[in-house]
Amino acid sequence: MSPTAVRPISASAAPAGLPAGTATFLAPLQPAVLAAAFAQPGAEVQAVQATGSTNSDLVRRARETAPSAPWLRCALEQTAGRGRLGRRWYAAPGSAFLFSVALPLARETPPVGVTLAVGLALAERLQCLTEALGVVLGPDAWQLKWPNDVLLATPAGRAKLGGVLAELAVDRRGRRSLVVGVGLNLWLDPSARGSIGQAAAALADVLPLAQLAPLRERWLGELAGAVVGAVREVQAQGFMPRQADYMRRFADLNRAVELSEQGSPVAQGRALGVDGEGRLLVEAGGRVRSFASGELTLRAGVVR
């Protein structure tokens, strides 16, 4: 696979007024170190300075020929990064872990609850990685917002640390692949925090970047490996085995929530959690309704 829209990034281009150590993250990624940490037999690992979207790159390639082993593509910058529902993912060069994995899919549709399972795997791995550096934030720090966001909860409040985007690709022979993209903030400049439209968090909020810099590729590879493991597990066993673990990190448990679709309210009530297929359970007026993710957007604390 050839790099797409690649352009060099200079360490001297790091903007002023950012957390100490950000320039280090503009150095090129090391594919060999990534591959060792990814630890997937037969995997293909690529790292580029910049691209439009790592997900779009892998979807485009998987539509030509489906992977037989995992593909991992990482970038320091995405010029056309995407989130769920077509939202733009903004990240300054080097300021986020940006990667996608592609895997062969043994069914016609992505497994139910896959974005929830991936988000959970990321939260669990982040907790382990930070604790290995002596940063213990407590069991409630790494939370999940249905259906695809990873949150970081600190004394200042909870905020979005990153998100998951899953897409289906079908090649010319009808073989299906699942492409899962992940974006996790390493650090945020003031303009980024103001442009996101919601409370945002970054690993630099709780971890000195100087500690993370020499471990960048290892963390990226291990997080990508956790994504592969989560996808394989949910393909083989469904989401049910992870339901209880997800519930323990579900940020909106027993909170008032509102669900909307394309800006129009769909339901309001109290979030009870998720069922064994990853559907959101909302109670209102003594009635419990379930919702698949689809085009729905969840907001908390709006019902009175």
Side-chain angles (χ1 to χ4, degrees):
M1 178 172 59
S2 60
T4 303
V6 176
R7 60 183 177 82
I9 301 173
S10 169
S12 63
L18 297 176
T22 56
T24 307
F25 290 88
L26 296 176
L29 292 163
Q30 302 176 61
V33 182
L34 282 168
F38 191 41
Q40 300 294 322
E44 181 177 317
V45 176
Q46 282 207 341
V48 299
Q49 293 289 90
T51 187
S53 159
T54 56
N55 246 47
S56 295
D57 293 345
L58 292 191
V59 166
R60 189 179 304 113
R61 184 186 178 196
R63 285 174 177 167
E64 294 293 324
T65 304
S68 58
W71 296 338
L72 169 61
R73 185 166 173 85
C74 307
L76 294 186
E77 181 186 7
Q78 293 186 136
T79 58
R82 296 177 292 118
R84 186 170 168 267
L85 305 181
R87 298 186 182 100
R88 182 171 181 262
W89 176 274
Y90 172 84
S95 69
F97 285 147
L98 303 170
F99 66 89
S100 297
V101 298
L103 295 141
L105 193 62
R107 57 181 71 192
E108 292 192 359
T109 59
V112 174
V114 66
T115 59
L116 281 71
V118 168
L120 175 60
L122 291 169
E124 292 173 338
R125 179 55 56 184
L126 284 167
Q127 181 175 344
C128 290
L129 290 170
T130 52
E131 288 181 357
L133 292 180
V135 180
V136 181
L137 303 176
D140 298 325
W142 309 98
Q143 298 184 3
L144 300 164
K145 178 185 174 184
W146 184 89
N148 71 323
D149 286 352
V150 179
L151 308 181
L152 178 60
T154 68
R158 66 177 192 173
K160 180 175 177 176
L161 178 68
V164 178
L165 175 66
E167 298 183 279
L168 177 67
V170 183
D171 74 4
R172 298 172 179 179
R173 296 171 57 185
R175 296 176 299 184
R176 288 165 167 77
S177 307
L178 184 66
V179 178
V180 181
V182 173
L184 296 168
N185 295 321
L186 292 170
W187 46 268
L188 290 165
D189 60 53
S191 63
R193 289 188 189 272
S195 69
I196 291 173
Q198 61 180 296
L203 289 175
D205 295 341
V206 296
L207 181 70
L209 291 177
Q211 281 188 279
L212 181 55
L215 301 172
R216 178 183 60 169
E217 282 83 357
R218 176 189 156 194
W219 278 44
L220 257 173
E222 289 197 23
L223 289 165
V227 171
V228 171
V231 172
R232 286 174 170 165
E233 181 180 24
V234 78
Q235 279 200 91
Q237 304 177 37
F239 177 71
M240 179 71 80
R242 303 308 319 267
Q243 179 193 14
D245 294 325
Y246 187 92
M247 287 283 288
R248 281 190 283 271
R249 296 182 187 268
F250 178 51
D252 293 311
L253 183 63
N254 292 321
R255 288 175 178 257
V257 298
E258 178 184 78
L259 283 167
S260 60
E261 184 172 3
Q262 298 181 349
S264 300
V266 173
Q268 295 181 339
R270 182 169 61 97
L272 302 181
V274 298
D275 65 12
E277 294 189 351
R279 294 174 295 197
L280 180 69
L281 302 176
V282 177
E283 184 273 331
R287 178 188 175 197
V288 178
R289 298 173 63 188
S290 62
F291 298 89
S293 60
E295 301 294 304
L296 297 175
T297 298
L298 175 68
R299 290 193 297 162
V302 297
V303 183
R304 292 170 174 80

